Amino acid sequence: MGLDPESTLAPYLDLVVTAIAADIVPLTGENRTLAYLGLAQMNQKPRAAFAVLTEQTKQRPLQMEQLQFHVAPRINAAGRIKHGQHAVSLLMEESLEQARAMAQEIETWNTQRRGHQETIFQEALAQVEALQEQQASATVVCGHWHKGVIGIVASKLTETYYRPTVVFTEHEGILHASARSVSDFDLHAALEACSQHLIQFGGHKAAAGMSCDPNQYEAFKTAFNRMVAERIEAHQKTPSIRVDATIELREVNPKLMRILQQMGPFGPGNEAPVWAAYAVHETGYAQTVGADNSHLKGAWAQGDSAAIPFIGFGWAHAQSLMSARSIVDVLFSISSNTWNGVTSVQLMVKDLKKSSVISTAAEEEY
């Protein structure tokens, strides 16, 4: 008698969508279908692990963003700090009480992971500055760092300097590294051109891992910088955001949000539309939020439009601009936020700057 795929495999779709979110794979074709079905299952009948891991998010229904930025880092933290078996045990646990206790332990490791990550990031920044390599074609750093978090540090360095980045750490006499790329620069091809200095390497255009003999480190660093300088194109050196359309805030409403949600789940290969709105103003209640106060939360209005809440992850540095009640131009995606059972529209900040457009209604208000 053959097995019924729907009854035997469907219960694992929540694990599939979590893996898709964690690995940031393209949400196209069957991946998008599996992600859609996995999210539906997770929202309807979550297993104990996901029920406890998402208790603090308050966001319902769960979307790819919550899996990528909240659930996946905690699952990965077990393997980075202790052992991956702890995460497997949590995912297999059926008792909500036992799962909650296990999740609390993993949360402790995730806190440790963030501490290691920030320490290594600051040491890497100091190394780049000490060597006066801020303007180098690529960022290549090396230290005696925690192997489990160098990939995250590589991503942060890439965001900071916006150039291909390789972060090495020594383990048992061998250098191991994680690498991240920018834009559509082919990182794998650049590494292949330097492979004579590596023990082994693997990955794809955007990310890679490798190992290297310590005696070959400087030679690899020189060769990699040369390859990047020769191959990188001008448009790949500056971060950019593709804007899909301009919109007036009065056009942003629950109906539009529901239409957009039908296009999801969003992610690589199926990005959420990015909207531009000009001459908007904060309503006067912007504040930093998050455990480290690195995020910015408030509400925007445009002319005489109703105020719409926004959240800017990593945008706490823009609070002074908001506090001054300046008129700004903004890029955002449209999402939803559920609080105490009430779902409302929320804007997700992508970029903002002081506006060059004069908003008459806003100026009159002030």
Side-chain angles (χ1 to χ4, degrees):
M1 180 181 294
L3 296 176
D4 176 15
E6 185 171 347
S7 61
T8 57
L9 300 180
Y12 302 102
L13 284 170
D14 56 347
L15 299 179
V16 174
V17 68
T18 303
I20 289 173
D23 286 344
I24 320 179
V25 298
L27 277 174
T28 56
E30 63 183 17
N31 278 349
R32 186 181 173 198
T33 301
L34 292 170
Y36 175 83
L37 295 173
L39 282 172
Q41 177 182 311
M42 190 178 292
N43 282 302
Q44 291 168 8
K45 191 178 179 180
R47 66 177 64 218
F50 296 132
V52 299
L53 285 173
T54 59
E55 283 178 335
Q56 295 181 348
T57 67
K58 308 298 183 184
Q59 174 69 45
R60 297 296 183 274
L62 293 171
Q63 301 293 341
M64 295 299 287
E65 291 87 352
Q66 286 78 50
L67 298 185
Q68 183 178 344
F69 297 111
H70 187 85
V71 174
R74 284 158 176 78
I75 292 175
N76 287 335
R80 296 182 193 279
I81 302 301
K82 288 293 182 180
H83 195 284
Q85 183 59 48
H86 294 283
V88 174
S89 297
L90 171 60
L91 292 170
M92 295 177 63
E93 181 57 55
E94 297 182 358
S95 165
L96 198 62
E97 182 179 350
Q98 289 296 321
R100 185 170 287 109
M102 297 164 75
Q104 289 175 349
E105 187 173 29
I106 286 179
E107 184 64 33
T108 300
W109 297 333
N110 190 51
T111 301
Q112 293 177 17
R113 185 269 303 170
R114 286 198 299 263
H116 289 315
Q117 172 186 317
E118 184 59 26
T119 297
I120 295 171
F121 177 61
Q122 294 300 329
E123 291 178 358
L125 288 177
Q127 186 175 133
V128 171
E129 293 178 5
L131 297 174
Q132 297 183 339
E133 295 178 342
Q134 295 93 327
Q135 303 303 318
S137 299
T139 301
V140 183
V141 292
C142 183
H144 294 281
W145 296 322
H146 196 295
K147 188 178 177 182
V149 298
I150 58 174
I152 305 173
V153 174
S155 294
K156 292 191 66 176
L157 287 170
T158 301
E159 293 172 2
T160 301
Y161 295 111
Y162 204 72
R163 62 195 187 204
T165 298
V166 185
V167 178
F168 281 96
T169 188
E170 187 275 333
H171 181 68
E172 296 182 350
I174 298 295
L175 297 181
H176 300 268
S178 283
R180 298 294 183 270
S181 192
V182 297
S183 188
D184 58 347
F185 179 79
D186 194 334
L187 175 64
H188 189 274
L191 290 174
E192 189 170 28
C194 307
S195 59
Q196 70 270 28
H197 304 296
L198 300 173
I199 297 174
Q200 60 182 8
F201 74 98
H204 48 79
K205 286 181 64 174
M210 70 206 75
S211 58
C212 174
D213 187 296
N215 293 327
Q216 287 291 314
Y217 171 73
E218 290 297 339
F220 166 78
K221 184 174 181 178
T222 299
F224 186 68
N225 264 285
R226 183 175 64 252
M227 284 299 146
V228 173
E230 291 176 355
R231 300 183 179 200
I232 198 165
E233 298 180 17
H235 73 275
Q236 296 171 329
K237 298 179 181 181
T238 304
S240 61
I241 300 175
R242 188 192 69 182
V243 178
D244 292 285
T246 299
I247 195 170
E248 300 288 328
L249 291 192
R250 58 182 173 78
E251 300 175 295
V252 179
N253 53 48
K255 180 180 179 180
L256 175 60
M257 178 186 69
R258 290 191 294 270
I259 292 173
L260 292 173
Q261 288 175 340
Q262 294 176 31
M263 302 177 185
F266 295 115
N270 187 43
E271 302 285 352
V274 175
W275 309 85
Y278 299 96
V280 307
H281 61 277
E282 211 285 320
T283 56
Y285 299 97
Q287 58 181 317
T288 57
V289 295
D292 55 358
N293 285 316
S294 62
H295 313 313
L296 185 64
K297 183 177 182 179
W300 278 320
Q302 185 182 47
D304 57 357
S305 76
I308 301 178
F310 72 81
I311 180 73
F313 293 107
W315 278 92
H317 62 278
Q319 186 181 19
S320 58
L321 182 59
M322 298 292 100
S323 299
R325 298 171 71 89
S326 300
I327 308 302
V328 295
D329 299 333
V330 296
L331 301 182
F332 57 85
S333 59
I334 299 173
S335 185
S336 63
N337 183 51
T338 301
W339 183 257
N340 292 331
V342 178
T343 300
S344 58
V345 176
Q346 179 173 260
L347 308 181
M348 311 289 288
V349 180
K350 300 295 183 182
D351 200 2
L352 63 86
K353 66 176 183 178
K354 188 171 183 179
S355 180
S356 58
V357 180
I358 300 298
S359 173
T360 304
E363 292 296 331
E364 289 178 351
E365 180 182 340
Y366 302 141

